[in-house]
Amino acid sequence: MIGRLFDRAWLLSDSPQSRAQAAWGRRYRLWCDFRANKPALYGLATVIALLACAILAPLLATHDPVTQNLGQRLLPPSTQHWLGTDELGRDVYSRLLYGARVTLGMVLAVVVLVAPIGLAVGCVAGYYRGAADVILMRVTDVFLAFPRLILALAFVAAIQPGMTSAVIAIALTTWPPYARLARAETMTIRDADYIAAVRMTGASSGRIILRHIMPLCLGSLIVRVTLDMSAIIIFAASLGFLGMGAQPPSPEWGTMIATARRFLLDQWWVPLIPGIAILVASLAFNLLGDGLRDVLDPRQG
Amino acid sequence: MSHTRRDMIIVDDLRVRFGSHDAVRGVSFRVPEGSSFGIVGESGSGKSTVMRALAGLNDLWDGYLEIAGMPLGRGKPPDFFRRVQMVFQDPYGSLHPRQTVDRALSEPLLVQGIGDIDRRIRQVLADVALPAAARFRYPHQLSGGQRQRVAIARALISEPSVLLLDEPTSALDVSVQAEILNLLADLREERKLTYLMVSHNLAVVAHLCPWVGVMSNGEMVEILSAEDLRAGRTRNPQTTRLRELSAELG
Amino acid sequence: MLVEISGLNISFPTPHGMHAAVRDVSMTLGTEKLGIVGESGSGKSLTARALLRLLPPAAVTRADTLRFDGIDVLSASEKQMGMIRGRRAGLILQDPKYSLNPIMTAGDQIAEAWRNRRKGSRRQAKEAAIDLLAQVQIRDPRRVADSYPHELSGGMGQRVMIAMMLAPDPELLIADEPTSALDASVQAEILKLMEDLVSRRNMGLMLISHDLPLVGHFCDRVAVMYAGRVVEELAAGELGQARHPYTRALLDCMPSLTHPRPRLPVMARDPAWLT
């Protein structure tokens, strides 16, 4: 089975012999389309590299990210400290690697929370219309009406600053657009003849939504989420910068910039390096999202 | 119409309203078991609305509907969808774009709790003359005619007794249309099916259906036999007009 | 000759090599009505689009001759093509829903098309638009001129489309399945209207359709296409004496209201038709 995934003829067969072959053939064609888009490929490679850095941080790091050494404050990059040290003498390179864990971990947690909620709310509202639609969409509007950062700040301040509450706060302010997107998509799908055909099998509404409508909404949702990743990274960093996200000494990228901003003029590399990390990660997710859009959502391309 | 056989479809004083618009205004007809009834009319005449009400796809109607001995109400009897199936007009829009033929055919069986899925799918593909190689293809890998065969197979797999045909050939090339019409005639013979067919094409309807109802502006203005329609023994001016156009352009 | 096509080949790249969609097609058209008939994928629309150079970018077009009124379409500049498209040759597509601008009134769209070729004030253009709407037999042209496309029925939309294409006084009208989205009665009216306008204005008409009897009814000559080739070209009145087995099968496999048969003949596609 695994070996066949590298057999082009098997994948591109016009008459697949099994469900698995048909499904892998479809995925392979999508991959071929995606592969043709060079910038998206760079985006994907960078995202994978960032994830690898995060996962392998303990192996790649040269120092402990939280051990302070006040004798070696604010050193410029050298062979000893590849990216220099911060105001407490901690190795910036190591902190950056561990920071990837925190930042990307927060982003993934937000996505895992937000995408299913948005998808479920949107699909249910769009499929049933009527009262369910009105209620769910008004709730969505309420969340949309607040400025995102202020709502998140209020939420975090009300509970207690920290990573968990930052994740919940970001999730709280991020899901409404996904619900709107899924709803719009569902509204166009629900009247299609192929859904009428499924209704004529006697399938329940739950089954129709889950097995026939959601898979079709998933494509544009994945695209939108990927494109939003950069916004979420910056949002998480902003909360960190404002002291409402990950708390010191945890090496979150936004917090790193915040604590180092005093040295921007003299020891510029200390705040600049996490800034570059945020830039690279955001750009990579954006390129990846653009590529996915061309493949999964050709209408908007 | 013959009254020796029992009526598979009974429509009595069907009325459908969309907002302030009367889409169907008191339509009545009966179709005996094993027979076929065709509804012709122009777009907006209400012919598709009648069919969607019978299919259980629209609950906003008044009157009396009965299919295969089951009166239709707000809730449908559990095996309603085993007895009644529908084939849609556009084979490009009636198959789920992300599901293989196999998936489309197994869904009704899974929902209805019918076992022996693999054998039934192979059987029904053979019945509609699709190659076994088409089983795991996606709709975009099939031609228009093949797609319509898949749609017919999907309707047949739960072994219904009534098939509702909504313009089943109007999106197809004429050579494919001939194949599909022959297939539908054969299946009716083999499986003792009752058809209700909606079309704007008089020749297609008269080919498959011994009885034809003509709809105009939400009403069924005339019900006549296919022979009378062919011979021009029409009573309603609307029927006469439709027949003349069809004879002139056909 | 208005249109001269000879040795036209159009092919598309696919993962399995080049696919020839139109193969060695030749035809000419003067001020007459030519029908091009074929099934989906026969290359009939591509042939017409090649004449206006409106093919998808991936298409590879080769031809011995491809001329519109003496202008070589393949070597013409984009500016010259702009002069042909929409001014000297109009294109009417199947569904007016997708060809009309949804946020402009019908009258404004026709007026704009009119001003494309002639100099004149806005008011003159508007008057011309209303006149054109009257010519396509719209009973209340002033009201329709102020309507948006979504307020019009399919038949009305197609009339507006025809009026828009006639506005610059073109020499050629290409109609690609202009009535297959319409009811039979509206279909007949639209085709009669087009036939009448084309004869009165001394234009050429290229009517593309899958419906052979219908085309035979409205055109002078019919070219039958199969798998990218013209397999037969004959006068519309001689359809009954068609020689090519494909043309005959095409006529034969339609159910007929007046001549019922218990079973329809199925087309047996002869591989020899491909060569």
Side-chain angles (χ1 to χ4, degrees):
Chain A
M1 177 66 208
I2 301 288
R4 285 184 144 170
L5 294 182
F6 297 96
D7 179 356
R8 209 176 127 83
W10 184 80
L11 287 166
L12 287 178
S13 164
D14 268 341
S15 32
Q17 296 302 311
S18 67
R19 284 174 202 206
Q21 190 183 358
W24 281 108
R26 202 179 84 83
R27 285 173 207 141
Y28 181 70
R29 284 193 185 86
L30 287 177
W31 166 243
C32 288
D33 290 347
F34 182 82
R35 208 171 44 181
N37 185 338
K38 284 280 169 278
L41 218 51
Y42 294 135
L44 179 67
T46 313
V47 167
I48 291 175
L50 284 171
L51 287 174
C53 285
I55 293 165
L56 302 177
L59 297 176
L60 297 172
T62 50
H63 295 75
D64 183 342
V66 290
T67 308
Q68 302 178 5
N69 185 347
L70 293 175
Q72 300 194 321
R73 292 179 71 233
L74 301 169
L75 293 179
S78 65
T79 46
Q80 180 69 43
H81 298 283
W82 294 349
L83 297 174
T85 59
D86 67 3
E87 75 282 2
L88 296 174
R90 295 171 298 196
D91 182 56
V92 171
Y93 166 70
S94 305
R95 283 182 68 73
L96 206 61
L97 289 176
Y98 279 92
R101 289 188 149 191
V102 179
T103 305
L104 295 179
M106 280 173 76
V107 170
L108 288 181
V110 168
V111 168
V112 166
L113 271 178
V114 156
I117 294 176
L119 189 63
V121 169
C123 286
V124 167
Y127 185 77
Y128 288 102
R129 289 193 252 205
D133 187 23
V134 172
I135 294 169
L136 287 173
M137 283 303 113
R138 286 308 80 77
V139 173
T140 312
D141 287 344
V142 167
F143 279 98
L144 272 176
F146 283 101
R148 285 177 72 177
L149 194 57
I150 294 182
L151 181 62
L153 282 177
F155 181 84
V156 176
I159 306 181
Q160 132 192 98
M163 258 181 29
T164 320
S165 29
V167 166
I168 297 174
I170 299 172
L172 217 52
T173 57
T174 322
W175 71 270
Y178 301 124
R180 289 234 157 241
L181 181 75
R183 173 177 174 269
E185 199 94 331
T186 305
M187 301 270 264
T188 59
I189 297 167
R190 62 154 282 157
D191 291 325
D193 279 349
Y194 53 82
I195 297 299
V198 182
R199 284 168 69 196
M200 289 216 62
T201 64
S204 64
S205 302
R207 186 183 176 95
I208 295 175
I209 294 176
L210 220 56
R211 291 181 52 102
H212 299 275
I213 291 183
M214 276 192 183
L216 282 177
C217 298
L218 213 55
S220 49
L221 197 80
I222 289 174
V223 169
R224 181 70 194 262
V225 166
T226 318
L227 286 173
D228 277 0
M229 290 268 202
S230 50
I232 298 173
I233 291 176
I234 293 170
F235 201 14
S238 317
L239 282 181
F241 183 85
L242 293 170
M244 295 292 182
Q247 295 301 304
S250 159
E252 199 268 330
W253 292 346
T255 324
M256 286 167 75
I257 301 180
T259 49
R261 70 182 186 279
R262 290 172 283 151
F263 315 109
L264 191 58
L265 294 179
D266 303 318
Q267 287 86 18
W268 47 266
W269 60 88
V270 184
L272 184 68
I273 283 160
I276 291 174
I278 291 174
L279 177 76
V280 168
S282 311
L283 194 64
F285 277 112
N286 241 319
L287 291 175
L288 177 62
D290 266 343
L292 286 177
R293 173 168 60 198
D294 293 345
V295 174
L296 296 176
D297 207 6
R299 281 161 298 156
Q300 294 173 18
Chain B
M1 262 182 253
S2 157
H3 287 275
T4 50
R5 289 174 290 173
R6 96 185 154 118
D7 288 324
M8 276 309 259
I9 303 174
I10 301 176
V11 175
D12 199 27
D13 197 27
L14 174 69
R15 288 165 189 279
V16 184
R17 263 180 97 84
F18 294 128
S20 62
H21 169 65
D22 287 307
V24 177
R25 306 188 286 184
V27 164
S28 308
F29 62 90
R30 284 161 185 254
V31 190
E33 187 169 9
S35 180
S36 298
F37 186 81
I39 305 180
V40 295
E42 308 206 311
S43 49
S45 62
K47 56 186 195 303
S48 292
T49 314
V50 171
M51 179 161 279
R52 289 185 97 82
L54 272 169
L57 292 173
N58 171 16
D59 281 335
L60 302 167
W61 51 267
D62 278 315
Y64 181 78
L65 296 179
E66 186 188 303
I67 289 193
M70 294 179 287
L72 267 71
R74 293 288 167 265
K76 268 156 250 9
D79 62 346
F80 175 80
F81 291 117
R82 281 194 72 162
R83 309 295 306 277
V84 183
Q85 278 299 316
M86 181 158 167
V87 176
F88 296 86
Q89 170 176 6
D90 180 9
Y92 292 84
S94 71
L95 297 178
H96 195 290
R98 297 279 172 77
Q99 294 179 358
T100 58
V101 173
D102 176 75
R103 172 90 193 275
L105 295 180
S106 49
E107 189 72 8
L109 301 177
L110 289 169
V111 170
Q112 302 280 351
I114 305 172
D116 209 5
I117 293 181
D118 187 60
R119 188 192 60 78
R120 279 172 196 271
I121 289 180
R122 273 186 280 122
Q123 179 61 44
V124 82
L125 284 176
D127 287 351
V128 299
L130 273 174
R135 179 167 168 186
F136 295 103
R137 286 190 193 154
Y138 286 94
H140 70 261
Q141 295 170 303
L142 302 173
S143 70
Q146 287 177 321
R147 287 178 202 218
Q148 201 59 312
R149 284 175 195 274
V150 172
I152 293 171
R154 174 179 60 193
L156 289 177
I157 201 160
S158 51
E159 298 184 345
S161 39
V162 175
L163 219 50
L164 306 171
L165 307 167
D166 185 5
E167 304 257 17
T169 62
S170 63
L172 304 174
D173 280 322
V174 287
S175 60
V176 183
Q177 166 172 286
E179 292 169 14
I180 297 289
L181 288 177
N182 286 341
L183 172 68
L184 288 170
D186 293 344
L187 290 168
R188 177 173 58 186
E189 192 68 27
E190 285 161 21
R191 301 188 173 219
K192 303 280 169 277
L193 292 164
T194 306
Y195 288 165
L196 176 68
M197 181 175 185
V198 155
S199 178
H200 67 278
N201 187 326
L202 263 62
V204 167
V205 164
H207 176 79
L208 208 59
C209 306
W211 289 90
V212 180
V214 181
M215 281 194 73
S216 172
N217 209 4
E219 288 177 62
M220 191 162 279
V221 294
E222 183 168 1
I223 295 179
L224 72 173
S225 72
E227 294 99 78
D228 284 348
L229 182 65
R230 291 183 197 284
R233 290 188 289 273
T234 54
R235 278 164 286 139
N236 187 285
Q238 175 69 11
T239 318
T240 315
R241 197 172 70 90
L242 285 177
R243 186 189 172 278
E244 273 168 5
L245 272 168
S246 172
E248 184 192 344
L249 299 177
Chain C
M1 271 299 137
L2 199 51
V3 175
E4 291 165 86
I5 301 175
S6 74
L8 175 66
N9 285 279
I10 303 171
S11 40
F12 289 91
T14 70
H16 314 289
M18 293 302 277
H19 167 72
V22 171
R23 299 182 294 166
D24 200 23
V25 162
S26 302
M27 57 178 74
T28 56
L29 174 73
T31 50
E32 59 180 330
K33 288 165 291 193
L34 170 70
I36 305 182
V37 178
E39 299 188 291
S40 42
S42 61
K44 55 189 191 304
S45 298
L46 291 174
T47 304
R49 275 157 195 268
L51 185 62
L52 299 181
R53 223 162 71 191
L54 285 175
L55 292 171
V60 178
T61 315
R62 282 180 297 113
D64 297 336
T65 340
L66 184 61
R67 277 203 280 262
F68 176 85
D69 196 24
I71 301 166
D72 182 25
V73 170
L74 288 181
S75 65
S77 67
E78 205 37 53
K79 198 174 163 202
Q80 276 177 302
M81 286 315 294
M83 289 295 293
I84 295 176
R85 285 183 216 126
R87 295 195 198 182
R88 304 190 57 193
L91 177 64
I92 296 173
L93 298 172
Q94 177 172 350
D95 202 334
K97 245 194 322 234
Y98 303 114
S99 337
L100 291 170
N101 183 344
I103 55 163
M104 261 172 96
T105 64
D108 286 348
Q109 294 186 51
I110 300 169
E112 194 181 89
W114 186 83
R115 272 157 61 106
N116 241 337
R117 186 147 185 195
R118 284 190 207 75
K119 302 235 178 313
S121 68
R122 270 173 199 287
R123 161 166 276 143
Q124 277 174 307
K126 191 75 192 247
E127 283 310 311
I130 287 165
D131 181 50
L132 280 160
L133 285 171
Q135 281 189 47
V136 293
Q137 288 161 27
I138 285 175
R139 248 167 277 147
D140 190 356
R142 279 178 197 279
R143 190 185 58 78
V144 171
D146 288 330
S147 306
Y148 288 92
H150 72 267
E151 297 170 317
L152 303 169
S153 68
M156 201 67 103
Q158 204 58 299
R159 282 167 202 267
V160 169
M161 200 63 216
I162 294 174
M164 193 166 130
M165 286 304 147
L166 291 178
D169 233 339
E171 291 123 274
L172 172 70
L173 200 58
I174 299 176
D176 191 352
E177 303 270 8
T179 60
S180 40
L182 306 174
D183 277 324
S185 55
V186 188
Q187 189 174 15
E189 283 168 28
I190 297 281
L191 287 172
K192 274 182 192 136
L193 172 72
M194 275 191 352
E195 183 189 30
D196 182 50
L197 287 168
V198 164
S199 321
R200 199 139 40 89
R201 291 171 170 241
N202 223 3
M203 292 162 57
L205 172 70
M206 199 182 264
L207 178 63
I208 298 160
S209 173
H210 65 280
D211 193 334
L212 184 50
L214 186 84
V215 168
H217 205 268
F218 286 100
C219 291
D220 307 318
R221 271 189 311 131
V222 179
V224 181
M225 288 188 73
Y226 178 77
R229 283 175 196 282
V230 175
V231 294
E232 186 162 18
E233 201 183 318
L234 67 175
E238 294 167 6
L239 275 183
Q241 293 97 55
R243 276 194 308 278
H244 197 279
Y246 176 69
T247 317
R248 285 212 301 271
L250 211 50
L251 286 166
D252 202 33
C253 65
M254 288 180 111
S256 157
L257 190 57
T258 40
H259 303 94
R261 285 165 296 181
R263 228 184 142 67
L264 296 168
V266 171
M267 189 181 287
R269 291 164 194 275
D270 189 342
W273 297 351
L274 294 172
T275 50

